[in-house]
Amino acid sequence: MQRMFTCLVAVAAIWRLTSAQITLPNPPYLPPNATFGAQPVSSPGSSPVDLHWTTSLGNLLWFYEAQRSGNLPSSNRVSWRNDSATTDGQDVDLDLTGGYYDAGDYIKYTFPMSFSLMSVCWGAMNYGKGYDASNQTVYLDDMLRWGLDWLIKVRGSFHGSLSVCVTYSRTKAHPSANTLYVQVGDADLDNAYWGGDQGIPEPRPSSQINSTQPGTDAAAQASAAFSACSALYANRALSAASSPASLGNATYASTLLTHAQQLYAFATNSSQQTYQHAVPSVGAAYASSGYGDELVIAGLFLALAANSSSSYVQAVDDYSRFHLSSQVTSAGNEEVFNWDSKAPGAAVLGAQLMKTHPDLTSDSSVNWTQEAEAYMEITVSQTGRGSLTKGGLLYYAGDSDEASLNPALNAAMLVTHYTTAILPPSSANYSRYLSFAQSQLNYILGNNPMTVPYIVGTHPNSPVNPHSAISTGASPDDIANLDTVPAQEHYVLYGAVVGGPDKYDDFWDLRSDWVQSEVALDYNAPLLSLVAYAIVNQTTAAQDPWFTRLDVGSYDKVRPKGSPCDAAVSTGCHHGLSKSGKIAIGVVVSVVGSIVIGLGAYWMAIEFHRRKGKF
């Protein structure tokens, strides 16, 4: 009887959450053919919501739907996707199906996925009206819930049997207060497979952090995702210049907040270590460099979501305890903002909290606005680690060597968050900062030496060979011929942001080059916020995105010859003498050449005079 009661409670909880979801439209939004991107549709001064910006936002969200794992709903818009990885979690007697595949493969990683959800919810709080105006809020809600519900594992259908609810009552990626699953799948098996979603190799082991083997960073990052999204669903504002997307749901916000609080307590009260110490397998792809930054950003988002001054004070203390200011304000030591490094984002978030929620931040030894402003100056003026490529992309040696667009887009997103929330439009830096952010956005949209919009399916010049097993549609036996089999990818992965060009702005569009061509959940996240802002900002959105100005086929004229030289492809690398060695050789050759020429001229003079009878 007790078991049946538990079952009915679980059914009721699931029904409440799923029934509260915004109704999906019929007919659904579907991405247009890439040729649409070559057709300008507006002019300055026209309607503030430009069709191309709307389409761009819709496509970026559509990509996440293409990355779904598990049993797909009847509302699935990606016709060529199938139910997949439907036995995930069986090795630990849990249902861990669902969630998102991380990148071009079939592994599920909680750490970068949580970062992506946090980032998207943050942007939707600041620029939610961009989603509303483009009629994409419903898909934002659907995208967020697919990821968040995997973390708390409440999504599912009952297939006509109440017995299934017993399974759901105990099935969560976060099944208890001090447990979080951080990886599902075997990377070695997965990397040896290049095929469709119905032949994914098994076994797919499930790996967790817990009280015995904690992972401070992963727990804190998941908490930050829950808190940021709870604040979004609770309509908590972070900027007076805009407002959250219209998807408010107090019940769902409360559920997310509960998990945020549990995970934050787990991260702060357990013995602290990076999560790869507990789960070594995650280290190959997403090893964390530390956990202090995750603790800080989790505390700040929890302060916002729970209206908790104690969480805020803890975040301030952790910011000082882990000496994170040097990662934000010290030129040459500043960190990028990404799935591993959160310190710059924490400073911007702290500044927003100080501006919009002074009641939470009155007890503070950190001047977040001053910290964030220092980071803005270092970034925009390139006086630190970042510098512009010849084509104008913000590039950080080391961080940008793989997936060059991601650091630049995240920087542009932080600059936009800070500027629109903190600076008055009349200030000297307001237009300067936003112009810089716009330049990075324009770069990815086609204002680059390759004339490539680095979003699949956006324009005829867009990449056509993303490193994605799902969209390639190849036979598993053809992994050795990644670039040629099939000659054309079977499916268009609309809205997928690829890694991007090298430091010389060159891009080869090779399927095998995961450095330049792979797609990932966190690559799309900052661009969603930037495009949503562009729609909110009527002056910008009244003009078509940059890609509408490109000549179709112009990439083919400038596409680099040969092969790239990076961590994925080394055939383009020229191993040999260093630059100084080549200079030395050049000097020697020049000297020897001069001697030879001089001797030759001397011999010719002797021969000339000999023939004249002078000798």
Side-chain angles (χ1 to χ4, degrees):
M1 190 68 181
Q2 178 62 39
R3 185 175 182 181
M4 178 59 71
F5 175 76
T6 301
C7 176
L8 293 175
V9 170
V11 172
I14 294 168
W15 182 85
R16 281 198 306 271
L17 292 174
T18 56
S19 65
Q21 184 172 350
I22 302 174
T23 302
L24 293 167
N26 188 18
Y29 168 82
L30 295 174
N33 186 279
T35 56
F36 174 70
Q39 305 169 26
V41 297
S42 73
S43 59
S46 64
S47 172
V49 183
D50 177 272
L51 189 57
H52 279 297
W53 287 110
T54 296
T55 298
S56 296
L57 195 66
N59 288 5
L60 291 168
L61 287 169
W62 188 93
F63 161 75
Y64 286 97
E65 198 159 316
Q67 293 293 110
R68 283 179 173 179
S69 177
N71 294 296
L72 302 181
S74 59
S75 59
N76 169 51
R77 295 180 292 164
V78 188
S79 61
W80 43 269
R81 281 301 321 281
N82 304 284
D83 294 346
S84 60
T86 56
T87 62
D88 281 358
Q90 285 188 359
D91 60 319
V92 290
D93 194 30
L94 292 174
D95 174 12
L96 297 180
T97 60
Y100 291 108
Y101 297 123
D102 168 64
D105 48 23
Y106 296 103
I107 305 295
K108 294 188 289 194
Y109 290 106
T110 298
F111 195 44
M113 188 189 79
S114 298
F115 169 77
S116 302
L117 293 170
M118 178 195 76
S119 176
V120 173
C121 285
W122 188 5
M125 269 188 280
N126 287 336
Y127 314 119
K129 293 308 177 186
Y131 291 95
D132 293 347
S134 59
N135 297 317
Q136 290 296 324
T137 299
V138 61
Y139 293 113
L140 170 67
D141 178 54
D142 199 41
M143 170 265 176
L144 292 173
R145 286 174 181 262
W146 191 266
L148 293 166
D149 287 354
W150 182 71
L151 292 178
I152 59 179
K153 207 66 184 71
V154 295
R155 180 186 292 273
S157 59
F158 302 102
H159 306 293
S161 173
L162 280 178
S163 63
V164 178
C165 74
V166 177
T167 302
Y168 274 98
S169 70
R170 60 183 176 84
T171 57
K172 304 172 184 177
H174 178 216
S176 66
N178 292 344
T179 301
L180 180 71
Y181 281 85
V182 294
Q183 179 179 343
V184 178
D186 184 317
D188 291 334
L189 279 178
D190 200 82
N191 289 335
Y193 173 77
W194 193 260
D197 57 13
Q198 292 187 301
I200 301 172
E202 295 182 343
R204 289 173 56 81
S206 308
S207 303
Q208 64 172 262
I209 56 174
N210 50 46
S211 298
T212 305
Q213 290 292 331
T216 308
D217 34 23
Q221 179 55 72
S223 174
F226 280 129
S227 288
C229 296
S230 174
L232 172 63
Y233 279 94
N235 288 318
R236 298 280 280 172
L238 265 175
S239 171
S242 188
S243 57
S246 302
L247 41 63
N249 185 305
T251 301
Y252 197 51
S254 177
T255 298
L256 297 177
L257 180 58
T258 296
H259 287 277
Q261 291 168 327
Q262 290 176 345
L263 284 164
Y264 186 68
F266 174 31
T268 54
N269 296 334
S270 301
S271 59
Q272 297 183 335
Q273 64 177 10
T274 56
Y275 80 131
Q276 63 263 25
H277 284 89
V279 183
S281 61
V282 300
Y286 290 103
S288 172
S289 59
Y291 51 79
D293 50 340
E294 281 83 21
L295 287 172
V296 173
I297 205 163
L300 292 175
F301 270 122
L302 186 58
L304 172 68
N307 198 33
S308 170
S309 57
S310 62
S311 298
Y312 174 78
V313 171
Q314 181 65 54
V316 170
D317 290 344
D318 285 336
Y319 191 77
S320 299
R321 178 163 67 102
F322 291 100
H323 308 289
L324 297 184
S325 180
S326 64
Q327 298 179 17
V328 176
T329 65
S330 178
N333 193 48
E334 82 279 9
E335 293 287 347
V336 301
F337 181 61
N338 62 16
W339 60 265
D340 180 40
S341 174
K342 318 300 184 337
V348 173
L349 176 60
Q352 289 184 318
L353 286 174
M354 288 183 71
K355 182 74 175 285
T356 57
H357 298 279
D359 53 318
L360 289 175
T361 59
S362 58
D363 183 10
S364 181
S365 59
V366 176
N367 186 330
W368 296 109
T369 302
Q370 183 175 307
E371 297 282 299
E373 177 70 24
Y375 190 80
M376 297 302 113
E377 274 301 311
I378 292 170
T379 302
V380 173
S381 61
Q382 299 101 53
T383 55
R385 293 177 54 227
S387 60
L388 297 181
T389 65
K390 188 175 181 180
L393 178 68
L394 182 64
Y395 196 96
Y396 295 85
D399 289 294
S400 300
D401 295 344
E402 298 176 10
S404 62
L405 297 174
N406 192 246
L409 286 175
N410 275 317
M413 182 188 70
L414 289 186
V415 169
T416 305
H417 281 339
Y418 174 80
T419 305
T420 56
I422 306 301
L423 299 182
S426 59
S427 68
N429 283 332
Y430 186 88
S431 59
R432 174 171 163 249
Y433 287 176
L434 289 183
S435 293
F436 171 80
Q438 186 68 42
S439 73
Q440 299 307 296
L441 176 59
N442 286 344
Y443 187 100
I444 192 178
L445 296 180
N447 187 20
N448 56 68
M450 297 285 98
T451 67
V452 169
Y454 288 109
I455 312 169
V456 177
T458 294
H459 184 277
N461 289 12
S462 291
V464 296
N465 291 300
H467 183 88
S468 166
I470 293 176
S471 65
T472 300
S475 165
D477 297 330
D478 293 326
I479 192 170
N481 300 301
L482 226 56
D483 292 323
T484 56
V485 179
Q488 179 178 335
E489 298 210 352
H490 288 183
Y491 311 109
V492 180
L493 196 59
Y494 289 103
V497 177
V498 299
D502 64 15
K503 61 184 177 181
Y504 304 109
D505 301 295
D506 289 334
F507 179 74
W508 276 264
D509 196 17
L510 289 176
R511 200 175 299 148
S512 62
D513 190 6
W514 53 264
V515 168
Q516 293 198 348
S517 297
E518 190 159 20
V519 300
L521 301 179
D522 63 308
Y523 294 0
N524 273 49
L527 191 55
L528 272 170
S529 295
L530 290 170
V531 172
Y533 167 71
I535 295 171
V536 171
N537 180 5
Q538 295 188 5
T539 302
T540 299
Q543 302 178 18
D544 284 329
W546 191 275
F547 55 75
T548 60
R549 312 177 197 182
L550 301 176
D551 294 330
V552 174
S554 55
Y555 169 59
D556 295 331
K557 298 176 182 178
V558 297
R559 183 173 182 170
K561 306 297 182 182
S563 301
C565 173
D566 55 38
V569 182
S570 60
T571 54
C573 301
H574 301 290
H575 303 290
L577 292 170
S578 64
K579 182 177 180 181
S580 58
K582 291 176 181 178
I583 292 173
I585 289 290
V587 171
V588 171
V589 169
S590 297
V591 171
V592 171
S594 298
I595 293 173
V596 170
I597 292 172
L599 289 174
Y602 178 71
W603 178 85
M604 289 178 66
I606 292 175
E607 182 65 14
F608 174 81
H609 289 295
R610 184 186 67 79
R611 290 186 179 184
K612 292 292 185 178
K614 300 293 183 180
F615 290 96

